Each structure stands twice: as C-alpha cells, then as structure tokens.
Amino acid sequence: MFFHIVLERNMQLHPRYFGRNLRDNLVSKLMKDVEGTCSGRHGFVVAVTGIENIGKGLIRDGTGFVTFPVKYQCVVFRPFKGEILEAVVTMVNKMGFFAEAGPVQIFVSNHLIPDDMEFQSGDMPNYTTSDGSVKIQKDSEVRLKIIGTRVDATEIFCIGTIKDDFLGVINDPTTV
Amino acid sequence: MSVVTDSPVHSSGSDDFIDYLNEALDASSPNSSSDEEAENQDEFEDLSRNKRRKLESTEETEGSTSEGIVEQKLVVAESSVVKVDGCTHPGTFGKLCISCGEILDGESGVTFGYIHKGLRLHEEEISRLRNTEMNTFLFSKKLFLVLDLDHTLLNTTILGQLSSEELHLLNETDSLEAKGSLFKLEHMHMMTKLRPFVRTFLKEASAMFEMYIYTMGDRPYALEMAKLLDPQGEYFNAKVISRDDGTQKHQKGLDVVLGRDSAVLILDDTEHAWMKHKNNLILMERYHFFASSCRQFGFNCKSLAETKSDENETDGALAKILEVLKQVHCTFFEKLQGDLVDRDVRQVLSSVRGEILSGCVIIFSRINHLALPTLKRIAEQLGATCLTELDPTVTHVVATDAGTEKARWAVKEKKCLVHPRWIEAANYFWEKQPEENFFIKKTTTQS
C-alpha cells in the first residue's frame, strides 16, 4: 500500500556546497540518498515530494561537514500481510511464478496456485486451467494476496497466493 | 521545489496510522494464514463469502470491517473439526516460506539463485519437482544435458593477454547479428571464440535434451556467454548455473539441477570438477583457440589463432560428441527394456563406452608409473582387457619406447605397437582410432 508520510533524516553536507545553493544542494543530496531505499518500518521510499523543514546545521568536530536534520514528505510503498495487490508477472516456472508490484518482488509458489491450474512449459511457460479459459504468463496482470513479507537492506520480498476468491488473472474485458 | 500542501498525513499521525493498519491487518491474517492451509475447501469458501458480505455492507469504516471479519473467522474456526496442519516449508524466497509466508531463519535446503535471486528449495520439494520433471521429459523423450563453457563450447581470453600474433583478431570480430563465432566483449575486456559447429550442436541437442549451462565462471560472465550462444533465449532460459550458484567451492554438482541423476549427461573438459558424478560425465577434448589458453595448460605450441586455423567443423570434437549423444539417446529410449523411470543413462553411457575398444587385449610397457593406473582404467572403461604378461591373445602393446622387450616382441609377432595417446584419442573421440597414426618409431624417444 502507498503512504504519504513525513520522515526525518540527518544529512551531512560537505563545505564545498555552502553558498547560495546550499538548500538546493541539500535537497538534491537527500533525494539521491533516500529515493529507492528501503526500511523495515516504512517500506520502500518511492519519491520525495517536498521538504517540510530543515533544521539548524551543526558543524561536526574535526571535519568541516555540517549535519542538517531534514524533515521531508515522501511517498512510501509498504506491502502488508493480508493485503490484496495487483502485480505484473515477470517469470513463470514449474515452482510458481514471480510477479512485481512496483519495487516489490512477489513469489507465488505452485502450492498456492489453484489445483486446477497446470504448468505448461514451452516458449511462453504459463499456468492454464484445464479448459484453457484462464492463463497466467509473463506480463499478465494478477490480483494476489500477500501472506508474508520481509524487508532486506534494499529489497522487499513477499510471498503471495491466488488460491482465494477473486484472486488470479485480472480479466481483460476485450477478450471475454 | 514544490511542496504538497494538503498531504493527508502529518508527522505525528503517520506512525499511528501505520501502526493502526499493522494491527488491523495482522489481527485478521494470522487466523487466515494458518487456517487457509488446514481447512478444507467448503469451509474456506464460506469464510470468504462471509468476508465478502461484510466488506460490501460496511465499506466506510475499516475498523468495524476488520473486527467483523475476526469475529466471523473465530466462529467458523471453533465450529470446524479440522486440526491445523503444520506447513512443510517446501522452500523459501527471501527467507519467507513459500507456502505459509512465515520467516524462516535457517539456511537449510539448496539455493536456486540461478532461477531467481533469493530462492531456496528444501530436499522434499526438490525431489518432488525432480519426479514431476522426469515424467514430463520422459514423456517428451528428452534427457538432461549439462554443458560446461570454457574449453568445451568456447574459449575466452582477456584482451590484455592476446599474443602479438593474435592482435589481428581485434579487427575480425563478428557482431551477434552476423551469427559469427568471434566476439569482443568490451565491457568485460574479453574476447570469446565459439567452438566450430557449436550452433548446430546446440540446435540438434536441444531436440533430445533439456540443456543447462554450468560454468566455473561468475554469474555475469555466464549470462554473457549464454547470450552469445543462445541469443533467442530458447535453450538456456533460467538454466545458467555459475560458480556463484554452486553449493560447493571448486566442485560442480547435480544438486542444483532439477533432473534426476539417472537422466543427466554432463559435457565437460575437466574431470576433476565432477568428482561425485564421474559416471555421468563425457570428457571433452579441450578447445584452445587463444595462446593464453595454451599457456595456461602448459602447451608451448602455437595456438589455433596464431596459426590462423581452427578445428574442423564437421569432423571436430563437437560433431563427434553429438553422434555419441544421439547414440545414447536412441539406446535409452528405444533399446532399453523396462519402465522409463527405472532406466539409467549412466549404464547406457558405460555400455556405449565399453564397445569402443572391445576385443582389444592390451599390455603396457615402460609407461610412467604415475600415469599407468589412469591409463589402465581408461582402457578398461573403453572395453579393452589389460594383461600384465605377454600372451598370444594380446592384440596391442602400448609403449613409449620401441626398444623395450615387449615392444620388440610386438613387432616380431606382428601385433600393433602404439603410443598411449592412441587410448586417449579413443577416449576423446569415442571411436577406435587407426593404429597407424600412433605407431612409435624405433629411434625417436618421443612420438
């Protein structure tokens, strides 16, 4: 799920950036440092949307670096256990399929795929129902439910299932 | 820098909101995640139908919805008679069990990082997958083939190690579109030459085998080479195993291959890397195109690149091995009796190998005593009988010197007097070689 929250971070700035553009330099350094990172509590920081407040800078002893406490608003993405998400399938194999929902990698193992869907290998490996009506292959969109998440230093891993009602391939209305 | 003026959550509120949601969702999911696996289908459907109804009726207030769900679930759970089964944890993805989503800290199982980063499978699941794979492939008449890269299918050198006579190659590189065989990889500072016949080999072998690449190079190198050999991604998609994916250092193993040992053949130039699976191995003659490769193995002769020549395409090592693979495949599927699942490709391989020198009775003379046991073992694997005493049944005397007593006896009795290389050649080419090419001259000390 996406959230728009305020986070705080202490940014260290080298003296070469002091001057007229100090604030801009600070902000661009913040964006470079924080966008694309992950934490267990907040999840994946997708983008910084604004700066709320920059506190007074404190010069560090020994070096000329100055530390600014910066409060910024950002959009974060954090998957939750039990959440229903839409994801795009990236790889299908006999163990299940891998899907991506934004920066999050989700794996749906074949234990959590309905029993009537069989794996078909070939050029475009896919899972198909016995009557061929539903097919999951690379680039399909699926609705899945997260049953477990874990946040690493830079990545979020999730396990998902489609063995529930209303989960599975999102029907393309033009083909139905 | 635009500031969003009406962000819905303020700093003090965001933590609370997240915690609140955390609690709400976690409260409903522990029951559901354990019950989902345990309850049978009907009760499961009731549950979700109830959930659906609840959601439809109370859309605005999330709090009451989740509480409602919890209540409903508790009611259903109490009435159900099933006992909650433990999850067997068949594998993990990023340390999460792939079946129940629990965090598992142990490092059990085998990593399958070459399929997707973070994937590990446990023994039971691997056996289950192997068995289902077996059935699929045996049904479509395919066995498994594990291919080594360096010196087997191609030869790579670092650009800085090209000898002066090889520098002309820098101008002769092919582009991938031209379907050539000499490629320069600027970003890796390497140059690669594909072995002659390799594309035909891959095409024909893919009809009989499910192919894997297993190299002692690192993963970026392995993936680059796979792209050169298989630009369309039809042979080695998600089947490229590098040394980063192996379970043991300096050793290759079939534990990361999803095929049963009795159906896998290995093509490699290094026997030492496959200590546990020698019976599945077909040893390849090394391909030395670049001088650096020759020097690495201690050869002082000119490399193929320096002499501007190359291995014969239709008569070279790959072509010969393709014939052997076809023979083994044919024997496995057509000639063996019994259930497909009980057949063993290793037995087929040793029986095919045992026909090469069958009927030959060999005696050794003045062979380096360190090399003798290996030579004897190879000869016996090839189907020859090895004797230690001279006998009228002897057909070949293998020696390095024509002046020994046994050698002179051979000439006198009109037996074949050959150099040990005759046995090695038979081993590499899977064919009895004409003895005339391996005669030893009387006066020379080395042939």
Side-chain angles (χ1 to χ4, degrees), chain B residues 195-200 310-320:
Chain B
R195 198 163 193 169
F197 198 69
V198 72
R199 290 195 201 275
T200 323
D310 205 349
E311 221 179 52
N312 192 324
E313 176 128 359
T314 46
D315 208 22
L318 281 178
K320 292 240 158 58

Side-chain angles (χ1 to χ4, degrees), chain B residues 219-233:
Chain B
R219 199 175 294 143
Y221 173 72
L223 292 171
E224 274 298 321
M225 294 298 122
K227 260 193 271 179
L228 292 180
L229 289 168
D230 181 24
Q232 265 38 34

Side-chain angles (χ1 to χ4, degrees), chain A residues 17-36:
Chain A
Y17 300 115
F18 298 171
R20 211 174 338 173
N21 299 323
L22 181 120
R23 197 193 154 94
D24 291 338
N25 283 325
L26 196 59
V27 170
S28 47
K29 186 164 194 288
L30 173 78
M31 309 234 297
K32 210 162 36 130
D33 273 359
V34 146
E35 278 176 4

Side-chain angles (χ1 to χ4, degrees), chain A residues 71-139:
Chain A
K71 278 214 181 84
Y72 57 100
Q73 289 163 344
C74 57
V75 175
V76 295
F77 179 67
R78 203 204 126 153
F80 283 84
K81 196 160 112 169
E83 187 181 346
I84 314 274
L85 279 184
E86 273 114 44
V88 176
V89 176
T90 52
M91 188 199 290
V92 181
N93 58 41
K94 54 185 119 34
M95 278 151 280
F97 64 85
F98 290 87
E100 237 168 55
V104 165
Q105 295 280 341
I106 308 169
F107 177 53
V108 181
S109 117
N110 61 1
H111 299 264
L112 299 174
I113 295 178
D115 297 322
D116 61 344
M117 297 198 87
E118 294 257 311
F119 175 67
Q120 322 263 6
S121 61
D123 229 12
M124 267 294 239
N126 59 66
Y127 278 89
T128 320
T129 47
S130 36
D131 55 0
S133 56
V134 183
K135 201 188 235 196
I136 299 182
Q137 59 188 26
K138 186 168 187 283
D139 294 334

Side-chain angles (χ1 to χ4, degrees), chain B residues 196-416:
Chain B
F197 198 69
V198 72
R199 290 195 201 275
T200 323
F201 175 85
L202 288 175
K203 185 146 175 254
E204 298 201 16
S206 66
M208 303 184 286
F209 296 92
E210 179 79 355
M211 302 195 289
Y212 281 74
I213 284 182
Y214 198 145
T215 175
M216 277 310 204
D218 58 15
R219 199 175 294 143
Y221 173 72
L223 292 171
E224 274 298 321
M225 294 298 122
K227 260 193 271 179
L228 292 180
L229 289 168
D230 181 24
Q232 265 38 34
E234 44 186 341
Y235 307 134
F236 302 114
N237 184 19
K239 283 180 284 177
V240 178
I241 308 174
S242 65
R243 70 158 180 257
D244 304 327
D245 306 307
T247 46
Q248 278 176 307
K249 267 193 163 176
H250 310 303
Q251 273 289 301
K252 296 185 182 177
L254 289 181
D255 49 353
V256 286
V257 172
L258 285 171
R260 271 204 284 183
D261 287 6
S262 60
V264 179
L265 282 177
I266 307 168
L267 215 63
D268 201 322
D269 65 294
T270 318
E271 193 179 10
H272 164 78
W274 290 101
M275 297 304 265
K276 286 197 230 155
H277 302 283
K278 284 195 192 143
N279 294 328
N280 300 72
L281 177 64
I282 297 179
L283 201 62
M284 280 291 282
E285 196 190 345
R286 287 203 176 111
Y287 182 51
H288 298 295
F289 187 74
F290 296 108
S292 62
S293 177
C294 291
R295 264 179 270 130
Q296 189 185 357
F297 290 95
F299 296 129
N300 280 326
C301 53
K302 284 204 178 263
S303 70
L304 288 170
E306 285 171 342
T307 55
K308 298 207 183 159
S309 66
D310 205 349
E311 221 179 52
N312 192 324
E313 176 128 359
T314 46
D315 208 22
L318 281 178
K320 292 240 158 58
I321 296 295
L322 184 62
E323 292 306 308
V324 175
L325 289 175
K326 282 185 183 159
Q327 193 182 354
V328 171
H329 184 266
C330 174
T331 315
F332 187 94
F333 283 107
E334 327 279 286
K335 299 197 188 129
L336 279 191
Q337 302 297 324
D339 261 331
L340 276 179
V341 287
D342 296 325
R343 298 184 200 177
D344 195 332
V345 77
R346 291 167 288 196
Q347 281 172 353
V348 178
L349 195 65
S350 55
S351 70
V352 169
R353 211 198 296 256
E355 282 166 27
I356 301 172
L357 289 185
S358 68
C360 297
V361 183
I362 299 180
I363 218 170
F364 295 97
S365 165
R366 197 165 295 178
I367 307 286
N368 178 353
H369 78 277
L370 289 171
L372 185 57
T374 323
L375 207 54
K376 222 176 147 202
R377 180 175 55 86
I378 296 178
E380 278 168 357
Q381 270 180 352
L382 294 172
T385 328
C386 295
L387 301 177
T388 43
E389 289 304 318
L390 284 178
D391 196 281
T393 58
V394 168
T395 54
H396 293 78
V397 173
V398 175
T400 51
D401 187 338
T404 68
E405 184 197 311
K406 293 195 181 100
R408 272 181 271 131
W409 177 88
V411 173
K412 195 173 67 151
E413 299 289 326
K414 304 257 192 303
K415 307 287 185 187
C416 297

Side-chain angles (χ1 to χ4, degrees), chain B residues 1 25 66 196 387:
Chain B
M1 177 100 267
L25 285 163
S66 56
L387 301 177

